[in-house]
Amino acid sequence: MIKSYFHQHFARPIYSILRSLHPFFKFKKRTFFDKFNVKTKDGVSFFLYNNAFYWETEMFWAGFENFDYEKKTRMIWCQLAKSSQLIFDIGSNSGWFSVMAKAYNPKATVHAFEPQPNIYQVLVKNNEINRFDIHCHQVALSDTKGEFPFYNTGDQTFTTENTNHGSLNKEWRPIKQHSILVKVDRLDDLIESKQILKPDLIKIDVETLEYEVLSGYGSLLHEHKPIIILEIQDKELGLKVGSLYQSEEVRYFHIDESKGLIEVSTLGDTSSQENRNYLICPKCRQDLINPFLN
């Protein structure tokens, strides 16, 4: 009760003062509080839990609009969430894309999938501190099911101090690599077993395993026809993902984080190491993405 009153009446002015003083005093990169309030220019607000996690801390100091990380991706995601009824966030990490979707569309049903236990705990906290009803699933998605090694890197991997992205791909970031066993499921089987309706919007960020996730979606990928935002690490992965579609089904777009959507003929064909997000839009739903075209 006391914490809630503090955040409601005093936290925002304190945050504003701290941000204005930061250029002069170079405060340690953290938020000083276990959660902070984010408010967008659209008037949407939500809380994020933070224990000095990197991206959340960057957002705290810069503010939502000035925070550079995936700027256009976040804007497109939030706007598409407003017109979506069912949203999947696959590889959700600490869940702020799920939180943003729910904040922009409280009526939407949001499912977040994160297999790494320490990060899953933060996902759950972000859901709880916002009093949202996000469905949090501690599972990895692929084209098979069972229990498999999940890999991550760093000295504090799988501890509460680490929210680095992990992967089922052992070849991904092999330096100082550690692994744990996690539950893995196919998306089509999970949808059927939990009786989930068809999603309108999906984000996939699973560190090179995007093709396997979509393969595990099976025939439902073409039945549901969701708009998909996903990271494509290279052209080889892009060609594999593209092989799941017929050319007349969809349009491909590269998300330029400074310009917006740029239509492309193939996925992953970019030299940029910072702009690797793409959008796949079924042609029957292209009216929804027209406002973001460059």
Side-chain angles (χ1 to χ4, degrees), residues 62-131:
F64 186 79
E65 257 66 54
N66 297 321
F67 175 51
D68 284 336
Y69 180 68
E70 297 191 340
K71 199 168 186 176
K72 285 294 184 181
T73 298
R74 287 185 287 124
M75 182 273 289
I76 293 168
W77 170 259
C78 291
Q79 294 306 313
L80 288 175
K82 290 164 66 173
S83 59
S84 300
Q85 295 182 338
L86 184 60
I87 299 169
F88 285 178
D89 183 7
I90 300 172
S92 63
N93 200 259
S94 58
W96 43 279
F97 268 80
S98 296
V99 169
M100 288 190 299
K102 192 68 180 178
Y104 269 82
N105 185 358
K107 294 182 180 179
T109 299
V110 179
H111 289 264
F113 304 86
E114 174 55 50
Q116 192 166 312
N118 55 309
I119 301 179
Y120 176 79
Q121 292 172 10
V122 182
L123 164 64
V124 171
K125 283 184 180 180
N126 276 326
N127 185 37
E128 291 175 345
I129 62 178
N130 285 286
R131 298 182 180 179

Side-chain angles (χ1 to χ4, degrees), residues 5-268:
Y5 183 85
F6 171 81
H7 279 283
Q8 183 177 355
H9 296 280
F10 298 107
R12 179 162 288 279
I14 291 175
Y15 296 149
S16 299
I17 293 170
L18 289 174
R19 287 193 188 100
S20 65
L21 293 176
H22 179 62
F24 304 100
F25 292 98
K26 303 297 182 185
F27 293 121
K28 181 182 177 182
K29 284 281 189 174
R30 64 169 296 120
T31 66
F32 298 96
F33 306 99
D34 62 351
K35 68 176 181 179
F36 64 97
N37 186 239
V38 179
K39 189 170 184 178
T40 76
K41 66 180 180 181
D42 303 319
V44 174
S45 64
F46 53 88
F47 283 105
L48 286 179
Y49 171 77
N50 186 28
N51 185 24
F53 301 141
Y54 181 79
W55 290 121
E56 287 87 342
T57 304
E58 291 295 310
M59 189 187 296
F60 168 79
W61 286 113
F64 186 79
E65 257 66 54
N66 297 321
F67 175 51
D68 284 336
Y69 180 68
E70 297 191 340
K71 199 168 186 176
K72 285 294 184 181
T73 298
R74 287 185 287 124
M75 182 273 289
I76 293 168
W77 170 259
C78 291
Q79 294 306 313
L80 288 175
K82 290 164 66 173
S83 59
S84 300
Q85 295 182 338
L86 184 60
I87 299 169
F88 285 178
D89 183 7
I90 300 172
S92 63
N93 200 259
S94 58
W96 43 279
F97 268 80
S98 296
V99 169
M100 288 190 299
K102 192 68 180 178
Y104 269 82
N105 185 358
K107 294 182 180 179
T109 299
V110 179
H111 289 264
F113 304 86
E114 174 55 50
Q116 192 166 312
N118 55 309
I119 301 179
Y120 176 79
Q121 292 172 10
V122 182
L123 164 64
V124 171
K125 283 184 180 180
N126 276 326
N127 185 37
E128 291 175 345
I129 62 178
N130 285 286
R131 298 182 180 179
F132 288 161
D133 58 355
I134 297 168
H135 300 268
C136 301
H137 306 272
Q138 190 176 344
V139 63
L141 295 173
S142 188
D143 56 356
T144 188
K145 55 195 304 179
E147 195 173 57
F148 296 94
F150 186 84
Y151 303 92
N152 208 331
T153 62
D155 296 327
Q156 297 177 308
T157 306
F158 306 121
T159 73
T160 56
E161 304 302 316
N162 189 320
T163 56
N164 287 338
H165 286 274
S167 176
L168 292 170
N169 181 4
K170 182 176 174 58
E171 306 305 317
W172 179 245
R173 296 176 180 168
I175 299 174
K176 292 185 179 181
Q177 192 178 76
H178 304 277
S179 68
I180 57 174
L181 290 176
V182 300
K183 179 183 176 183
V184 180
D185 206 345
R186 288 177 54 96
L187 186 54
D188 53 6
D189 286 345
L190 187 144
I191 287 172
E192 182 179 356
S193 65
K194 295 188 178 296
Q195 298 182 319
I196 301 173
L197 301 177
K198 67 177 184 178
D200 307 289
L201 178 64
I202 298 177
K203 180 182 76 68
I204 309 175
D205 186 354
V206 291
E207 308 294 4
T208 74
L209 268 294
E210 284 74 12
Y211 170 75
E212 283 77 7
V213 170
L214 290 173
S215 294
Y217 201 177
S219 62
L220 295 182
L221 173 65
H222 306 284
E223 292 179 27
H224 291 173
K225 296 180 172 58
I227 293 176
I228 299 175
I229 293 175
L230 74 172
E231 185 178 48
I232 301 291
Q233 298 285 346
D234 53 42
K235 191 171 182 178
E236 181 182 358
L237 174 58
L239 290 172
K240 288 172 65 178
V241 171
S243 70
L244 296 170
Y245 291 96
Q246 299 295 324
S247 60
E248 64 271 14
E249 281 187 281
V250 295
R251 296 171 69 188
Y252 299 141
F253 299 88
H254 177 232
I255 304 178
D256 186 299
E257 298 298 347
S258 61
K259 298 177 182 178
L261 294 183
I262 300 174
E263 188 163 12
V264 294
S265 57
T266 56
L267 299 167

